[in-house]
mmCIF file of all heavy atoms in Angstrom:
data_model
loop_
_atom_site.group_PDB
_atom_site.id
_atom_site.type_symbol
_atom_site.label_atom_id
_atom_site.label_comp_id
_atom_site.label_asym_id
_atom_site.label_seq_id
_atom_site.Cartn_x
_atom_site.Cartn_y
_atom_site.Cartn_z
ATOM 1 N N ASP A 1468 -90.726 144.825 130.103
ATOM 2 C CA ASP A 1468 -89.539 144.325 129.393
ATOM 3 C C ASP A 1468 -89.545 144.760 127.931
ATOM 4 O O ASP A 1468 -88.488 145.053 127.352
ATOM 5 C CB ASP A 1468 -89.464 142.800 129.487
ATOM 6 C CG ASP A 1468 -89.134 142.331 130.891
ATOM 7 O OD1 ASP A 1468 -88.640 143.158 131.686
ATOM 8 O OD2 ASP A 1468 -89.378 141.147 131.209
ATOM 9 N N THR A 1469 -90.721 144.808 127.327
ATOM 10 C CA THR A 1469 -90.824 145.240 125.929
ATOM 11 C C THR A 1469 -90.468 146.714 125.789
ATOM 12 O O THR A 1469 -89.761 147.111 124.848
ATOM 13 C CB THR A 1469 -92.246 144.999 125.400
ATOM 14 O OG1 THR A 1469 -92.570 143.610 125.533
ATOM 15 C CG2 THR A 1469 -92.355 145.387 123.932
ATOM 16 N N ILE A 1470 -90.926 147.539 126.716
ATOM 17 C CA ILE A 1470 -90.610 148.968 126.663
ATOM 18 C C ILE A 1470 -89.111 149.188 126.820
ATOM 19 O O ILE A 1470 -88.508 150.011 126.123
ATOM 20 C CB ILE A 1470 -91.381 149.724 127.756
ATOM 21 C CG1 ILE A 1470 -92.888 149.583 127.536
ATOM 22 C CG2 ILE A 1470 -90.988 151.201 127.774
ATOM 23 C CD1 ILE A 1470 -93.724 150.222 128.620
ATOM 24 N N LEU A 1471 -88.487 148.447 127.736
ATOM 25 C CA LEU A 1471 -87.061 148.640 128.003
ATOM 26 C C LEU A 1471 -86.189 148.156 126.851
ATOM 27 O O LEU A 1471 -85.143 148.745 126.572
ATOM 28 C CB LEU A 1471 -86.676 147.906 129.290
ATOM 29 C CG LEU A 1471 -87.299 148.446 130.587
ATOM 30 C CD1 LEU A 1471 -86.932 147.554 131.761
ATOM 31 C CD2 LEU A 1471 -86.872 149.876 130.849
ATOM 32 N N SER A 1472 -86.599 147.077 126.199
ATOM 33 C CA SER A 1472 -85.747 146.472 125.169
ATOM 34 C C SER A 1472 -86.103 146.896 123.750
ATOM 35 O O SER A 1472 -85.307 146.721 122.830
ATOM 36 C CB SER A 1472 -85.833 144.940 125.259
ATOM 37 O OG SER A 1472 -87.164 144.496 125.052
ATOM 38 N N LYS A 1473 -87.289 147.480 123.545
ATOM 39 C CA LYS A 1473 -87.730 147.822 122.194
ATOM 40 C C LYS A 1473 -88.219 149.266 122.126
ATOM 41 O O LYS A 1473 -89.346 149.553 121.718
ATOM 42 C CB LYS A 1473 -88.832 146.866 121.733
ATOM 43 C CG LYS A 1473 -88.379 145.414 121.655
ATOM 44 C CD LYS A 1473 -89.489 144.508 121.154
ATOM 45 C CE LYS A 1473 -89.010 143.059 121.064
ATOM 46 N NZ LYS A 1473 -90.085 142.162 120.563
ATOM 47 N N ARG A 1474 -87.354 150.181 122.520
ATOM 48 C CA ARG A 1474 -87.724 151.594 122.495
ATOM 49 C C ARG A 1474 -87.974 152.094 121.079
ATOM 50 O O ARG A 1474 -88.872 152.911 120.842
ATOM 51 C CB ARG A 1474 -86.620 152.432 123.148
ATOM 52 C CG ARG A 1474 -86.440 152.204 124.641
ATOM 53 C CD ARG A 1474 -85.516 153.256 125.226
ATOM 54 N NE ARG A 1474 -85.271 153.034 126.638
ATOM 55 C CZ ARG A 1474 -84.665 153.912 127.429
ATOM 56 N NH1 ARG A 1474 -84.227 155.052 126.907
ATOM 57 N NH2 ARG A 1474 -84.485 153.657 128.709
ATOM 58 N N GLU A 1475 -87.171 151.616 120.137
ATOM 59 C CA GLU A 1475 -87.328 152.060 118.751
ATOM 60 C C GLU A 1475 -88.700 151.690 118.208
ATOM 61 O O GLU A 1475 -89.362 152.498 117.545
ATOM 62 C CB GLU A 1475 -86.231 151.445 117.884
ATOM 63 C CG GLU A 1475 -84.835 152.014 118.123
ATOM 64 C CD GLU A 1475 -84.698 153.454 117.694
ATOM 65 O OE1 GLU A 1475 -85.459 153.877 116.793
ATOM 66 O OE2 GLU A 1475 -83.856 154.168 118.264
ATOM 67 N N GLU A 1476 -89.134 150.466 118.509
ATOM 68 C CA GLU A 1476 -90.443 150.033 118.031
ATOM 69 C C GLU A 1476 -91.564 150.833 118.690
ATOM 70 O O GLU A 1476 -92.562 151.194 118.046
ATOM 71 C CB GLU A 1476 -90.620 148.541 118.295
ATOM 72 C CG GLU A 1476 -89.674 147.656 117.500
ATOM 73 C CD GLU A 1476 -89.934 146.185 117.725
ATOM 74 O OE1 GLU A 1476 -90.975 145.861 118.354
ATOM 75 O OE2 GLU A 1476 -89.115 145.363 117.290
ATOM 76 N N MET A 1477 -91.412 151.132 119.993
ATOM 77 C CA MET A 1477 -92.409 151.938 120.680
ATOM 78 C C MET A 1477 -92.483 153.337 120.048
ATOM 79 O O MET A 1477 -93.574 153.880 119.846
ATOM 80 C CB MET A 1477 -92.060 152.064 122.160
ATOM 81 C CG MET A 1477 -92.036 150.758 122.949
ATOM 82 S SD MET A 1477 -93.658 149.969 123.071
ATOM 83 C CE MET A 1477 -93.494 148.706 121.792
ATOM 84 N N GLY A 1478 -91.325 153.911 119.736
ATOM 85 C CA GLY A 1478 -91.299 155.223 119.098
ATOM 86 C C GLY A 1478 -91.976 155.216 117.734
ATOM 87 O O GLY A 1478 -92.690 156.161 117.377
ATOM 88 N N LYS A 1479 -91.765 154.151 116.962
ATOM 89 C CA LYS A 1479 -92.391 154.055 115.644
ATOM 90 C C LYS A 1479 -93.911 153.946 115.760
ATOM 91 O O LYS A 1479 -94.646 154.522 114.951
ATOM 92 C CB LYS A 1479 -91.832 152.849 114.892
ATOM 93 C CG LYS A 1479 -90.379 153.021 114.457
ATOM 94 C CD LYS A 1479 -89.868 151.785 113.735
ATOM 95 C CE LYS A 1479 -88.416 151.950 113.312
ATOM 96 N NZ LYS A 1479 -87.894 150.739 112.635
ATOM 97 N N ASP A 1480 -94.392 153.204 116.770
ATOM 98 C CA ASP A 1480 -95.841 153.084 116.973
ATOM 99 C C ASP A 1480 -96.455 154.432 117.352
ATOM 100 O O ASP A 1480 -97.535 154.804 116.860
ATOM 101 C CB ASP A 1480 -96.128 152.050 118.059
ATOM 102 C CG ASP A 1480 -95.750 150.641 117.630
ATOM 103 O OD1 ASP A 1480 -95.629 150.407 116.407
ATOM 104 O OD2 ASP A 1480 -95.558 149.768 118.500
ATOM 105 N N ILE A 1481 -95.780 155.165 118.227
ATOM 106 C CA ILE A 1481 -96.277 156.490 118.612
ATOM 107 C C ILE A 1481 -96.267 157.427 117.410
ATOM 108 O O ILE A 1481 -97.212 158.195 117.186
ATOM 109 C CB ILE A 1481 -95.418 157.066 119.759
ATOM 110 C CG1 ILE A 1481 -95.528 156.176 120.994
ATOM 111 C CG2 ILE A 1481 -95.859 158.484 120.091
ATOM 112 C CD1 ILE A 1481 -94.577 156.544 122.103
ATOM 113 N N LYS A 1482 -95.197 157.369 116.617
ATOM 114 C CA LYS A 1482 -95.105 158.207 115.424
ATOM 115 C C LYS A 1482 -96.257 157.937 114.462
ATOM 116 O O LYS A 1482 -96.840 158.873 113.900
ATOM 117 C CB LYS A 1482 -93.769 157.955 114.721
ATOM 118 C CG LYS A 1482 -93.637 158.647 113.377
ATOM 119 C CD LYS A 1482 -92.374 158.213 112.640
ATOM 120 C CE LYS A 1482 -92.337 158.785 111.241
ATOM 121 N NZ LYS A 1482 -91.135 158.318 110.489
ATOM 122 N N ALA A 1483 -96.602 156.669 114.262
ATOM 123 C CA ALA A 1483 -97.678 156.322 113.331
ATOM 124 C C ALA A 1483 -99.008 156.919 113.781
ATOM 125 O O ALA A 1483 -99.789 157.435 112.964
ATOM 126 C CB ALA A 1483 -97.785 154.803 113.214
ATOM 127 N N ILE A 1484 -99.267 156.872 115.087
ATOM 128 C CA ILE A 1484 -100.529 157.417 115.599
ATOM 129 C C ILE A 1484 -100.580 158.927 115.426
ATOM 130 O O ILE A 1484 -101.569 159.484 114.937
ATOM 131 C CB ILE A 1484 -100.697 157.031 117.083
ATOM 132 C CG1 ILE A 1484 -100.827 155.512 117.223
ATOM 133 C CG2 ILE A 1484 -101.912 157.729 117.675
ATOM 134 C CD1 ILE A 1484 -100.871 155.033 118.660
ATOM 135 N N VAL A 1485 -99.503 159.620 115.817
ATOM 136 C CA VAL A 1485 -99.482 161.083 115.716
ATOM 137 C C VAL A 1485 -99.498 161.534 114.259
ATOM 138 O O VAL A 1485 -100.173 162.506 113.906
ATOM 139 C CB VAL A 1485 -98.244 161.646 116.451
ATOM 140 C CG1 VAL A 1485 -98.201 163.161 116.326
ATOM 141 C CG2 VAL A 1485 -98.256 161.242 117.919
ATOM 142 N N ALA A 1486 -98.766 160.840 113.391
ATOM 143 C CA ALA A 1486 -98.718 161.216 111.977
ATOM 144 C C ALA A 1486 -100.086 161.106 111.318
ATOM 145 O O ALA A 1486 -100.461 161.946 110.490
ATOM 146 C CB ALA A 1486 -97.700 160.347 111.245
ATOM 147 N N GLU A 1487 -100.835 160.077 111.676
ATOM 148 C CA GLU A 1487 -102.168 159.905 111.086
ATOM 149 C C GLU A 1487 -103.107 161.038 111.498
ATOM 150 O O GLU A 1487 -103.914 161.514 110.698
ATOM 151 C CB GLU A 1487 -102.743 158.558 111.521
ATOM 152 C CG GLU A 1487 -104.098 158.253 110.924
ATOM 153 C CD GLU A 1487 -104.625 156.889 111.344
ATOM 154 O OE1 GLU A 1487 -103.913 156.189 112.104
ATOM 155 O OE2 GLU A 1487 -105.735 156.527 110.937
ATOM 156 N N GLU A 1488 -103.009 161.473 112.755
ATOM 157 C CA GLU A 1488 -103.896 162.513 113.248
ATOM 158 C C GLU A 1488 -103.538 163.897 112.694
ATOM 159 O O GLU A 1488 -104.409 164.751 112.518
ATOM 160 C CB GLU A 1488 -103.849 162.551 114.782
ATOM 161 C CG GLU A 1488 -104.381 161.297 115.457
ATOM 162 C CD GLU A 1488 -105.868 161.121 115.265
ATOM 163 O OE1 GLU A 1488 -106.565 162.140 115.061
ATOM 164 O OE2 GLU A 1488 -106.350 159.972 115.318
ATOM 165 N N THR A 1489 -102.258 164.134 112.440
ATOM 166 C CA THR A 1489 -101.813 165.467 112.016
ATOM 167 C C THR A 1489 -101.661 165.602 110.503
ATOM 168 O O THR A 1489 -101.221 166.653 110.028
ATOM 169 C CB THR A 1489 -100.459 165.802 112.680
ATOM 170 O OG1 THR A 1489 -99.493 164.799 112.308
ATOM 171 C CG2 THR A 1489 -100.588 165.828 114.190
ATOM 172 N N LEU A 1490 -101.999 164.564 109.772
ATOM 173 C CA LEU A 1490 -101.800 164.591 108.316
ATOM 174 C C LEU A 1490 -102.585 165.714 107.659
ATOM 175 O O LEU A 1490 -102.080 166.418 106.781
ATOM 176 C CB LEU A 1490 -102.199 163.239 107.718
ATOM 177 C CG LEU A 1490 -101.971 163.077 106.218
ATOM 178 C CD1 LEU A 1490 -100.486 163.216 105.889
ATOM 179 C CD2 LEU A 1490 -102.498 161.728 105.738
ATOM 180 N N HIS A 1491 -103.851 165.918 108.081
ATOM 181 C CA HIS A 1491 -104.680 166.962 107.461
ATOM 182 C C HIS A 1491 -104.376 168.354 108.015
ATOM 183 O O HIS A 1491 -105.033 169.327 107.639
ATOM 184 C CB HIS A 1491 -106.171 166.644 107.665
ATOM 185 C CG HIS A 1491 -106.592 166.589 109.109
ATOM 186 N ND1 HIS A 1491 -106.325 165.508 109.913
ATOM 187 C CD2 HIS A 1491 -107.221 167.507 109.879
ATOM 188 C CE1 HIS A 1491 -106.802 165.742 111.123
ATOM 189 N NE2 HIS A 1491 -107.344 166.943 111.134
ATOM 190 N N TRP A 1492 -103.389 168.462 108.889
ATOM 191 C CA TRP A 1492 -102.952 169.775 109.371
ATOM 192 C C TRP A 1492 -101.758 170.307 108.574
ATOM 193 O O TRP A 1492 -101.272 171.397 108.866
ATOM 194 C CB TRP A 1492 -102.554 169.705 110.844
ATOM 195 C CG TRP A 1492 -103.664 169.356 111.768
ATOM 196 C CD1 TRP A 1492 -104.998 169.325 111.478
ATOM 197 C CD2 TRP A 1492 -103.541 168.978 113.137
ATOM 198 N NE1 TRP A 1492 -105.723 168.947 112.585
ATOM 199 C CE2 TRP A 1492 -104.851 168.731 113.622
ATOM 200 C CE3 TRP A 1492 -102.465 168.832 113.999
ATOM 201 C CZ2 TRP A 1492 -105.090 168.349 114.931
ATOM 202 C CZ3 TRP A 1492 -102.707 168.447 115.304
ATOM 203 C CH2 TRP A 1492 -104.004 168.216 115.765
ATOM 204 N N GLY A 1493 -101.274 169.546 107.623
ATOM 205 C CA GLY A 1493 -100.101 169.956 106.873
ATOM 206 C C GLY A 1493 -98.812 169.774 107.649
ATOM 207 O O GLY A 1493 -97.827 170.461 107.391
ATOM 208 N N ILE A 1494 -98.817 168.815 108.582
ATOM 209 C CA ILE A 1494 -97.652 168.549 109.431
ATOM 210 C C ILE A 1494 -97.060 167.191 109.055
ATOM 211 O O ILE A 1494 -97.795 166.218 108.853
ATOM 212 C CB ILE A 1494 -98.023 168.548 110.925
ATOM 213 C CG1 ILE A 1494 -98.716 169.864 111.301
ATOM 214 C CG2 ILE A 1494 -96.805 168.304 111.792
ATOM 215 C CD1 ILE A 1494 -97.838 171.079 111.214
ATOM 216 N N VAL A 1495 -95.736 167.116 108.975
ATOM 217 C CA VAL A 1495 -95.041 165.857 108.712
ATOM 218 C C VAL A 1495 -94.268 165.472 109.977
ATOM 219 O O VAL A 1495 -93.377 166.209 110.417
ATOM 220 C CB VAL A 1495 -94.074 165.984 107.517
ATOM 221 C CG1 VAL A 1495 -93.286 164.684 107.339
ATOM 222 C CG2 VAL A 1495 -94.841 166.323 106.255
ATOM 223 N N ILE A 1496 -94.629 164.323 110.565
ATOM 224 C CA ILE A 1496 -93.925 163.820 111.743
ATOM 225 C C ILE A 1496 -92.695 163.062 111.268
ATOM 226 O O ILE A 1496 -92.812 162.041 110.585
ATOM 227 C CB ILE A 1496 -94.834 162.914 112.593
ATOM 228 C CG1 ILE A 1496 -96.118 163.650 112.968
ATOM 229 C CG2 ILE A 1496 -94.090 162.451 113.838
ATOM 230 C CD1 ILE A 1496 -95.903 164.880 113.804
ATOM 231 N N ILE A 1497 -91.520 163.543 111.649
ATOM 232 C CA ILE A 1497 -90.277 162.932 111.188
ATOM 233 C C ILE A 1497 -89.897 161.737 112.045
ATOM 234 O O ILE A 1497 -89.563 160.661 111.546
ATOM 235 C CB ILE A 1497 -89.142 163.978 111.170
ATOM 236 C CG1 ILE A 1497 -89.497 165.088 110.187
ATOM 237 C CG2 ILE A 1497 -87.811 163.326 110.810
ATOM 238 C CD1 ILE A 1497 -88.513 166.231 110.194
ATOM 239 N N ASP A 1498 -89.954 161.902 113.357
ATOM 240 C CA ASP A 1498 -89.563 160.800 114.235
ATOM 241 C C ASP A 1498 -90.065 161.073 115.653
ATOM 242 O O ASP A 1498 -90.318 162.227 116.029
ATOM 243 C CB ASP A 1498 -88.048 160.624 114.253
ATOM 244 C CG ASP A 1498 -87.623 159.232 114.709
ATOM 245 O OD1 ASP A 1498 -88.504 158.412 115.001
ATOM 246 O OD2 ASP A 1498 -86.405 158.970 114.764
ATOM 247 N N VAL A 1499 -90.202 159.989 116.410
ATOM 248 C CA VAL A 1499 -90.554 160.065 117.836
ATOM 249 C C VAL A 1499 -89.596 159.152 118.588
ATOM 250 O O VAL A 1499 -89.441 157.983 118.233
ATOM 251 C CB VAL A 1499 -92.012 159.633 118.093
ATOM 252 C CG1 VAL A 1499 -92.309 159.660 119.587
ATOM 253 C CG2 VAL A 1499 -92.983 160.543 117.357
#
């Protein structure tokens, strides 16, 4: 139910994880 009703929040959580890992690669994650 959380995945179905809160897609935006799920996308923000995924973005935070990927952005942290790719920060030292010179990559900026805009959105997920």
Side-chain angles (χ1 to χ4, degrees):
D1468 290 342
T1469 302
I1470 298 176
L1471 294 175
S1472 60
K1473 298 182 179 180
R1474 293 191 183 190
E1475 289 293 334
E1476 294 183 10
M1477 298 295 100
K1479 290 179 181 179
D1480 293 340
I1481 298 172
K1482 173 188 173 183
I1484 295 175
V1485 179
E1487 182 178 0
E1488 295 292 334
T1489 59
L1490 184 61
H1491 61 282
W1492 296 348
I1494 305 294
V1495 176
I1496 305 298
I1497 298 174
D1498 201 0
V1499 177

